[in-house]
Amino acid sequence: MKRIFLDHASTTKVDEEVLHAMLPYFAQYFGNPSSIHSYGREAREAIDTARTHVGEILGARDDEIIFTAGGTESDNLAIKGIAYLNKEKRTTKGPHIITSTIEHPGVLEVCRHLETQGFQVKYLPVDNQGLINLETLQASISKNTFLFSFMFANNEIGTIEPIEEIGKIAQEHEITLHTDAVQAVTKIPIDVKKQHIDMLALSSHKIYGPKGIGALYLRNGVKIQPIIHGGGHEKGMRSSTLNTPGIVGLGKACELAKKRMTTDNSRMKTLRDSLIKNVLQIEESYLNGHPEKRLVNNAHFRFTGIEGESLLLGLDEQGIATSTGSACSSQKLQASHVLLAIGLDPVQAHGSLRLSLGRENTKEEITYVSKVLPQIVERLRTMSPLWNR
Ligand SMILES: Cc1ncc(COP(=O)(O)O)c(C=O)c1O
């Protein structure tokens, strides 16, 4: 059976060119990049090149990029790093952080942890399309607010937040802005300087790079404390011998994305729009998230009378991989915090399904899914006690 992968928000396959670029750095150029002999220099040169490519995709300088083990670690380093420094230095700012209710656990759980350490966190609500309200944000700022942490785009419903406007507000109030851009990088043009971003988290495995590698953009001048102490790698901000193959892979993924982003995004958007149009012809089906301000590859639906989980399994039997929430929460039985935050009740939230496209999906695949999905919805509804038409 031919399989169709429509779960690119959870992860992507490693691009052939990325894999090819990485391979020599396992056994041929295996030196420790901190060593000063020729083996070390070979690895270090490759890391320098990768750093340039990561910087370029963000409009950042090479020396503003810190390599980490992924999006979660980058979020942790940014938020804990500035929070702990702030606490230690007892700056004029107090211990207040503003974030949103729809953040990824990589941000939400860090904020919850900081609450146990004496920080105060305001979790801003979002509207029913997942957008933050800028007036509510302005009204929530206090003289103690030192940090904003808002995701660039949501991993479940795909809504894109007004980061540039948030950045302006942050700048006016001398508040540091961190953004989790794990889903946004390569889908939305990013220019950290223009968008007034001070810290940005990205992850390689969402952009056709390998797993277990990511980066934090840290604007020159922004001070944080490390959370991993040791040999002082990455200017003391992230100790541990650098993962040369992983970094080379991430760098290559960024280099490729920079070249093909415009074409890939417009192709995905066309396919995504046709998928949405087809699926919404199903009776009592709805699109979750914002109709326009959404990631080009995200389609997130809810269907009255059925469970997303059953639909996911039905599609899987036909070789189609989708998701009911984020990959991290798919093992949990509780309704998605994002769907509850946009005002869905638990039954509606459980009736939701995410299809996230990637650059290799084809028109034929979307046509096939558009044919199969309504049939499964219809079959499940005939068995559902919640559907008594
Ligand atoms: C918005 C967002 N932030 C953070 C992460 C975590 O990234 P990683 O898997 O690299 O730790 C993810 C992954 O699902 C994500 O979607």
Side-chain angles (χ1 to χ4, degrees), residues 66 68 70-86 97 106-107 110-111 114 146-150 176-180 197-202 215-219 222-228 237-238:
I66 300 170
T68 66
T72 305
E73 189 191 316
S74 298
D75 285 335
N76 271 260
L77 175 57
I79 303 171
K80 286 183 193 160
I82 195 163
Y84 291 154
L85 190 75
N86 202 53
I97 299 170
V107 167
V110 177
C111 289
L114 289 177
F146 70 95
L147 179 66
F148 284 171
S149 180
F150 293 109
T176 305
L177 170 62
H178 163 253
T179 185
D180 175 335
I197 297 166
D198 298 305
M199 301 192 279
L200 176 147
L202 65 85
L216 176 69
Y217 154 75
L218 180 68
R219 182 172 65 72
V222 178
K223 298 269 176 288
I224 58 169
Q225 262 188 15
I227 54 171
I228 298 178
M237 286 303 122
R238 205 279 183 175

Side-chain angles (χ1 to χ4, degrees), residues 9 70-73 75 104 151 153 155 180 182-183 203 205-206 328:
T72 305
E73 189 191 316
D75 285 335
H104 186 272
M151 64 201 327
N155 48 308
D180 175 335
V182 167
Q183 296 290 340
S203 175
H205 74 100
K206 310 283 185 181
C328 342

Side-chain angles (χ1 to χ4, degrees), residues 75 99-109 111 123 132 149-152 154-156 161 178-180 337-338:
D75 285 335
T99 185
S100 85
T101 48
I102 60 164
E103 298 300 312
H104 186 272
V107 167
L108 277 184
E109 292 305 320
C111 289
Y123 300 89
I132 288 156
S149 180
F150 293 109
M151 64 201 327
F152 212 125
N154 186 268
N155 48 308
E156 294 191 36
E161 299 299 339
H178 163 253
T179 185
D180 175 335
H337 69 285
V338 175

Side-chain angles (χ1 to χ4, degrees), residues 1-303:
M1 178 172 54
K2 182 175 162 13
R3 295 198 300 166
I4 301 176
F5 192 71
L6 284 172
D7 195 17
H8 292 86
S10 76
T11 200
T12 55
K13 76 171 186 188
V14 174
D15 185 281
E16 288 293 331
E17 278 192 58
V18 169
L19 181 62
H20 192 71
M22 289 172 71
L23 286 176
Y25 292 90
F26 285 98
Q28 192 179 353
Y29 306 122
F30 62 89
N32 184 326
S34 301
S35 304
I36 49 182
H37 48 59
S38 64
Y39 290 83
R41 285 200 304 275
E42 284 160 1
R44 201 160 53 247
E45 275 164 25
I47 287 172
D48 290 346
T49 306
R51 208 183 289 282
T52 305
H53 289 311
V54 177
E56 276 175 354
I57 206 156
L58 305 174
R61 294 163 45 122
D62 300 12
D63 60 356
E64 295 175 309
I65 303 299
I66 300 170
F67 290 114
T68 66
T72 305
E73 189 191 316
S74 298
D75 285 335
N76 271 260
L77 175 57
I79 303 171
K80 286 183 193 160
I82 195 163
Y84 291 154
L85 190 75
N86 202 53
K87 195 170 180 183
E88 191 183 279
K89 291 220 163 152
R90 294 179 199 284
T91 58
T92 45
K93 297 256 180 196
H96 188 238
I97 299 170
I98 307 180
T99 185
S100 85
T101 48
I102 60 164
E103 298 300 312
H104 186 272
V107 167
L108 277 184
E109 292 305 320
V110 177
C111 289
R112 288 195 188 117
H113 164 74
L114 289 177
E115 283 186 279
T116 69
Q117 307 294 306
F119 290 88
Q120 292 136 25
V121 183
K122 168 78 184 165
Y123 300 89
L124 277 194
V126 291
D127 68 13
N128 59 12
Q129 293 174 329
L131 280 177
I132 288 156
N133 180 303
L134 296 178
E135 281 164 25
T136 320
L137 172 63
Q138 291 265 19
S140 307
I141 297 171
S142 82
K143 66 176 183 1
N144 287 334
T145 311
F146 70 95
L147 179 66
F148 284 171
S149 180
F150 293 109
M151 64 201 327
F152 212 125
N154 186 268
N155 48 308
E156 294 191 36
I157 54 175
T159 300
I160 299 171
E161 299 299 339
I163 288 297
E164 191 168 338
E165 283 77 7
I166 294 174
K168 278 188 205 137
I169 298 173
Q171 206 171 40
E172 279 161 22
H173 293 83
E174 294 181 10
I175 294 168
T176 305
L177 170 62
H178 163 253
T179 185
D180 175 335
V182 167
Q183 296 290 340
V185 168
T186 75
K187 316 282 177 343
I188 304 170
I190 295 184
D191 181 339
V192 284
K193 309 289 171 201
K194 182 168 165 271
Q195 290 155 343
H196 313 287
I197 297 166
D198 298 305
M199 301 192 279
L200 176 147
L202 65 85
S203 175
S204 154
H205 74 100
K206 310 283 185 181
I207 59 168
Y208 304 91
K211 294 174 181 54
I213 187 83
L216 176 69
Y217 154 75
L218 180 68
R219 182 172 65 72
N220 274 341
V222 178
K223 298 269 176 288
I224 58 169
Q225 262 188 15
I227 54 171
I228 298 178
H229 300 87
H233 308 79
E234 296 296 85
K235 292 190 283 176
M237 286 303 122
R238 205 279 183 175
S239 290
S240 187
T241 302
L242 278 86
N243 168 359
T244 314
I247 292 170
V248 167
L250 169 58
K252 191 71 186 178
C254 290
E255 185 192 355
L256 288 178
K258 194 156 185 272
K259 283 191 214 143
R260 43 186 302 177
M261 222 171 116
T262 314
T263 326
D264 284 347
N265 288 345
S266 101
R267 252 195 85 243
M268 283 194 290
K269 187 172 180 302
T270 307
L271 293 180
R272 193 272 319 262
D273 288 346
S274 97
L275 177 68
I276 292 179
K277 192 167 147 262
N278 295 340
V279 172
L280 289 184
Q281 281 171 14
I282 300 173
E283 191 185 357
E284 292 201 38
S285 63
Y286 309 90
L287 184 70
N288 292 325
H290 198 283
E292 290 103 37
K293 293 175 188 164
R294 72 184 304 131
L295 289 169
V296 286
N297 67 333
N298 177 293
H300 199 292
F301 304 102
R302 66 177 192 278
F303 304 91

